[in-house]
Amino acid sequence: RARHTGPPDGGWGWMIVAGCFLVTICTRAVTRCISIFFVEFQAYFGQDYARTAWIHSIVDCATMLCAPLGSLISNHVSCQVGIMLGGLLASTGLILSSFATSLEHLYLSLGVLTGLGFALCYSPAIAMVGKYFNKRKALAYGIAMSGSGIGTFILAPVVQLLIEQFSWRGALLILGGFVLNLCVCGALMRPISLKEDCKTAPEFLEQGYVPETQKQDLKQMFICSPLIKLWPHECLCYCSWKEYDFLLMPGFMVLAVSVLFMAYGCSPLFVYLVPYALSVGVSHHQAAFLMSILGVIDIIGNITFGWLTDRRCLKKHRYFCYLFAVGMDGLCCLFLPVLQSFPLLVPFSFTFGYFDGAYVTLIPVMTADVVGTSLLSSALGVVYFLHAIPYLVSPPVAGWLVDTTGSYTASFLLCGFSMMFSSALLCFARLAKKIKRTHLRSLAGNTALKQHIWTNGAIAYSVTAELDQKDVEFLAVDTNSFSNR
């Protein structure tokens, strides 16, 4: 286990980025390419849109629903063990799917088993990048997450070719072998110990987490997991019940709600873009090429947005960059029903792919900004867990709307409005926070003035007693800066 006082921002960290890059290819890109099997499954099993769409939904849902399990194994056993185990499960699921005789068989093998394997790999690999990088975090995530786009660009036409040459059964069998590369990715994930990941017992107890009367008892309870090696005699692990304190942070709550609507809006498009293109007269190869375009532009969005938001001028505005990217993807979905030819669908793939790559890169960055690096693995597990229900529900709901209305319009409009609402929610939350801070600053100025006037010897009267504890801390900072002037 490497030991550092802070993220090294390089060195073996670039191998971690390479490993995460391969993980995103083998998980997210393969999941996206399952949509290419949609028409094949529908024709072979003779089922409607809604029932067939459950396959993709269950894969995405299982991947996100079990993300906390991946974080748990990573935190308490090993990131390497978790990713290798996930690779074996995902490969087994794809291989078993090649022998499917019914949609229910695919629900279990391709949906549950493969999705569980992806869950054990995805969030731990992403969290490892955050532990190795700080100053260049957004760029590192941009490169790592671009694997989803590059993988889609390469795999989409390859999967279509495999289906034509070996049928959908042979294509799934070959993908099962390809996904075994996750075991190689897991071997690259060398653990790292950061000073902020742990604290000495005196430091932990002195920060006011527990009453004075319980400190002696808790000192006896501070023990590290025997599977985790930390600096000897210097630091102790946080109690496990402290790992999820971030759930009560207002900033994380707002982010969590917005993620629910964003996940609902983005999922159906990857399922129905190819079937929609085929329904308006686009050929099979052109429809697969649309997915490839979306994938390669996704790469550009990953890397360029990662690099730009690491610049000093935009680093403080990552929040607004994220909500802008989500809003633009929602706008693209609203316009999709009027694009009914290949030349019109190509610009859509460019635009949607770019902003999809942009906000996907910023999700772990924003999560780290909200909860900190030490809690990033657990927080990412929760964030991706929140994707689960929307990913499970949205494609079948969209399929039901297609079956009921005979058109994709209602499905795409619902997706667009959902993503627009996600963006608007974040915007209103930030504006409310800004208004509150402005009000508190004015109170801080008045408080400093009154304290100055009412000071009499050793006695100073304060007007902040009625404020909550967080506001008192905020006012104290502003009052000190006011007095220093």
Side-chain angles (χ1 to χ4, degrees):
R1 178 183 290 269
R3 298 172 182 172
H4 297 272
T5 56
D9 274 296
W12 190 258
W14 294 115
M15 293 303 295
I16 300 297
V17 170
C20 187
F21 174 85
L22 292 173
V23 167
T24 55
I25 289 178
C26 293
T27 56
R28 302 312 299 157
V30 170
T31 301
R32 288 181 178 183
C33 289
I34 289 175
S35 64
I36 298 175
F37 291 91
F38 187 94
V39 176
E40 302 295 328
F41 291 153
Q42 190 180 29
Y44 186 86
F45 295 108
Q47 300 293 338
D48 57 19
Y49 277 84
R51 284 178 58 83
T52 309
W54 277 105
I55 299 170
H56 192 282
S57 295
I58 294 173
V59 175
D60 267 336
C61 178
T63 301
M64 300 308 175
L65 190 67
C66 299
L69 177 62
S71 298
L72 184 67
I73 294 175
S74 175
N75 290 339
H76 297 286
V77 181
S78 168
C79 181
Q80 295 170 316
V81 171
I83 294 177
M84 289 181 178
L85 176 61
L88 290 173
L89 289 175
S91 177
T92 302
L94 285 164
I95 292 171
L96 291 177
S97 298
S98 67
F99 299 99
T101 56
S102 66
L103 283 183
E104 288 74 17
H105 186 158
L106 288 173
Y107 293 163
L108 292 175
S109 58
L110 186 56
V112 176
L113 191 57
T114 300
L116 175 61
F118 288 164
L120 298 183
C121 302
Y122 191 55
S123 58
I126 294 173
M128 284 295 290
V129 176
K131 287 184 175 292
Y132 271 85
F133 287 87
N134 184 25
K135 294 180 181 178
R136 291 180 283 187
K137 183 181 292 183
L139 176 61
Y141 271 125
I143 296 172
M145 304 296 281
S146 67
S148 176
I150 292 176
T152 305
F153 174 70
I154 297 173
L155 287 179
V158 169
V159 168
Q160 182 63 46
L161 183 62
L162 290 175
I163 291 173
E164 293 175 359
Q165 295 294 322
F166 305 106
S167 80
W168 61 267
R169 294 185 185 276
L172 285 174
L173 189 64
I174 293 170
L175 280 179
F178 173 74
V179 165
L180 275 175
N181 284 294
L182 286 168
C183 296
V184 179
C185 301
L188 296 174
M189 299 296 169
R190 180 188 297 172
I192 182 173
S193 292
L194 300 177
K195 191 173 183 179
E196 65 183 79
D197 290 339
C198 50
K199 294 185 178 181
T200 62
E203 288 176 347
F204 185 83
L205 297 174
E206 288 171 4
Q207 291 187 7
Y209 292 118
V210 295
E212 186 71 30
T213 56
Q214 299 179 14
K215 286 185 178 180
Q216 293 301 322
D217 294 335
L218 282 178
K219 284 181 181 179
Q220 304 301 321
M221 296 169 59
F222 273 93
I223 55 172
C224 288
S225 169
L227 297 175
I228 302 176
K229 297 179 181 179
L230 296 174
W231 294 355
H233 312 299
E234 292 186 11
C235 44
L236 295 167
C237 295
Y238 281 117
C239 288
S240 59
W241 54 273
K242 297 298 296 180
E243 290 182 5
Y244 292 93
D245 271 358
F246 59 85
L247 292 173
L248 300 179
M249 293 181 182
F252 185 83
M253 289 181 180
V254 173
L255 178 63
V257 175
S258 72
V259 162
L260 290 173
F261 287 94
M262 179 273 293
Y264 182 91
C266 71
S267 181
L269 184 114
F270 292 101
V271 180
Y272 293 108
L273 179 59
V274 171
Y276 171 71
L278 294 175
S279 71
V280 296
V282 175
S283 69
H284 282 78
H285 285 286
Q286 287 178 328
F289 185 62
L290 288 174
M291 288 294 291
S292 294
I293 293 174
L294 192 150
V296 74
I297 300 302
D298 192 292
I299 305 163
I300 298 174
N302 287 143
I303 298 175
T304 58
F305 243 65
W307 181 83
L308 287 172
T309 52
D310 268 341
R311 302 305 94 196
R312 184 175 299 177
C313 58
L314 287 178
K315 199 165 188 176
K316 296 180 180 179
H317 304 291
R318 287 171 174 169
Y319 188 94
F320 292 102
C321 292
Y322 172 81
L323 67 89
F324 175 75
V326 173
M328 287 300 297
D329 263 2
L331 197 62
C332 288
C333 289
L334 294 179
F335 280 100
L336 183 56
V338 300
L339 309 177
Q340 299 188 359
S341 65
F342 181 72
L344 293 177
L345 288 171
V346 169
F348 166 83
S349 293
F350 271 88
T351 308
F352 186 90
Y354 182 81
F355 289 108
D356 177 75
Y359 77 73
V360 166
T361 294
L362 292 180
I363 286 175
V365 177
M366 285 188 60
T367 305
D369 289 344
V370 171
V371 306
T373 303
S374 61
L375 298 174
L376 180 58
S377 180
S378 299
L380 278 177
V382 173
V383 167
Y384 291 127
F385 171 83
L386 293 172
H387 285 65
I389 300 303
Y391 276 7
L392 177 67
V393 173
S394 58
V397 168
W400 176 79
L401 289 172
V402 173
D403 292 332
T404 303
T405 64
S407 169
Y408 290 87
T409 301
S411 300
F412 291 144
L413 289 180
L414 185 58
C415 293
F417 283 123
S418 180
M419 298 189 79
M420 294 289 284
F421 179 80
S422 173
S423 180
L425 179 65
L426 291 174
C427 185
F428 288 139
R430 179 50 63 96
L431 289 176
K433 185 176 181 180
K434 187 175 181 180
I435 292 171
K436 180 181 177 181
R437 284 192 171 183
T438 302
H439 178 63
L440 290 176
R441 285 194 182 97
S442 65
L443 286 179
N446 294 334
T447 300
L449 182 60
K450 291 179 181 180
Q451 286 179 334
H452 177 71
I453 293 174
W454 295 347
T455 299
N456 181 13
I459 301 173
Y461 301 92
S462 172
V463 296
T464 61
E466 296 181 0
L467 299 174
D468 59 41
Q469 186 61 34
K470 289 188 177 181
D471 289 345
V472 169
E473 294 174 0
F474 180 83
L475 289 174
V477 174
D478 276 12
T479 302
N480 291 335
S481 62
F482 183 87
S483 301
N484 291 334
R485 295 176 193 157

